[in-house]
Amino acid sequence: MSIQNKPWEKLKPGETWRGWWEVGVSDLPAIPVLAARGKAGGTNLLVTGGVHGDEYEGPAAIHALFNDLDVARLCGVWIGLPIVNSAAWQARARRTPVDNGDLNRAFPGALTGASHPTTAALAQAVFETFVRPCDVLVDLHSGGAALVHLPMVGWYVGGETAEKLARGFGGGLHPWIVPDAAGVLSYEAHRASKVALGAEWGGGARLDPEGVKAYTLGLRRVMAALNMPPSERAGPSVFDARAPISGGYQETQTSGLFASSIRLGERVAAGTTLGVLYDAFGSALEEIKAKRPGIVAALPHIALLRAGERVAYIG
Ligand SMILES: [Zn+2]
């Protein structure tokens, strides 16, 4: 598979471009690309959203930043992919409808032999076309339909530059050490020696205007820190010295209606009761206890859980 149509590579200094990019994978629609080349050289920044198709603050923030971009001041190249998984977006779903693949477990992608072949081919096309040429990646997520997340912005262990950028992101997003997980876009970018950040905001398939504002401001601060100022409005620099959230998701082994007894952002000890699962008659099936100590950084938005689904993020 060779991809010929890359108009963003031919931009002259001071030019911007928006258009559809045919991913070259059968059964998949084109994805929107927003691109700008500054008058001076500098960092190649890639900002991604919509890797999961039911998350909206990232795409809206990428739109807002591009619409406000002052290309005369810009140094380097800015590329925004607001909707990386167009098919999932159209289906208002987390996963690619045609093969039920989770794109954020499929990077850097594969052309053959994958269990979700269409999703793996999309991952491969996006990774080779956009991630390999970039210097810095910021991947914006939210809790999607299933979860609600504490706002947080993170980096991977060993990613010193990414940590500095994340701690300067602002907007109240909690510093976060993202767990190493094969197939995740930001992790695979980190492994490919890119400066890689990931972020979470809210969820429930809402579009939270506060999240859009915080993401947009955070992106401006990242750009200012990379000497590629997007506009006058980056705001004062910040440094969030709080101990980072680390840890990960906890799944339930039982299906049932989850009535949580804790709040997002609360600190819990290992063994603290997170809530109770009930059956259809209101009988308690299981008390769910925290497997590790830490801050509760995500809870279900859809309270009726199936076995294997996420009941919390604690770290
Ligand atoms: Zn996501």
Side-chain angles (χ1 to χ4, degrees), residues 52 55 141-142:
H52 293 128
E55 304 176 2
H141 285 255
S142 84

Side-chain angles (χ1 to χ4, degrees), residues 62-300:
I62 293 169
H63 293 155
L65 196 135
F66 184 72
N67 287 336
D68 182 58
L69 206 57
D70 182 356
V71 75
R73 285 168 58 93
L74 181 69
C75 302
V77 173
W78 186 94
I79 293 184
L81 303 179
I83 305 164
V84 177
N85 195 338
S86 267
W89 174 271
Q90 288 169 10
R92 299 189 296 187
R94 175 180 174 84
R95 292 164 177 264
T96 319
V98 63
D99 65 356
N100 200 34
D102 181 341
L103 181 58
N104 211 30
R105 296 295 179 276
F107 291 99
L111 292 181
T112 53
S115 51
H116 305 286
T118 305
T119 301
L122 172 61
Q124 205 265 354
V126 169
F127 205 85
E128 296 306 319
T129 309
F130 294 100
V131 181
R132 296 259 187 236
C134 86
D135 303 308
V136 180
L137 166 76
V138 183
D139 188 30
L140 301 171
H141 285 255
S142 84
L147 294 175
V148 180
H149 258 282
L150 193 71
M152 48 198 204
V153 56
W155 63 92
Y156 291 90
V157 170
E160 277 174 34
T161 307
E163 176 176 355
K164 226 169 79 188
L165 294 172
R167 288 189 183 276
F169 200 86
L173 283 88
H174 204 293
W176 173 35
I177 294 177
V178 192
D180 294 356
V184 169
L185 172 56
S186 49
Y187 179 61
E188 296 299 342
H190 168 74
R191 283 218 286 201
S193 304
K194 311 299 178 186
V195 173
L197 283 75
E200 293 280 359
W201 185 287
R206 291 182 66 214
L207 175 56
D208 181 358
E210 290 302 312
V212 179
K213 218 159 65 181
Y215 271 176
T216 310
L217 185 61
L219 289 174
R220 289 194 183 116
R221 286 186 170 136
V222 165
M223 292 176 70
L226 294 169
N227 296 315
M228 50 188 306
S231 71
E232 302 283 354
R233 293 202 289 277
S237 64
V238 292
F239 185 84
D240 193 329
R242 285 180 288 178
I245 287 170
S246 58
Y249 288 108
Q250 180 172 330
E251 285 90 21
T252 169
Q253 300 315 314
T254 313
S255 303
L257 180 64
F258 179 63
S260 75
S261 50
I262 40 139
R263 283 189 312 276
L264 212 54
E266 207 172 311
R267 193 174 285 278
V268 295
T272 300
T273 298
L274 301 176
V276 177
L277 281 167
Y278 292 95
D279 71 7
F281 299 99
S283 302
L285 293 167
E286 191 189 334
E287 203 172 318
I288 308 274
K289 293 180 185 299
K291 283 191 177 155
R292 59 166 75 85
I295 291 170
V296 178
L299 284 170

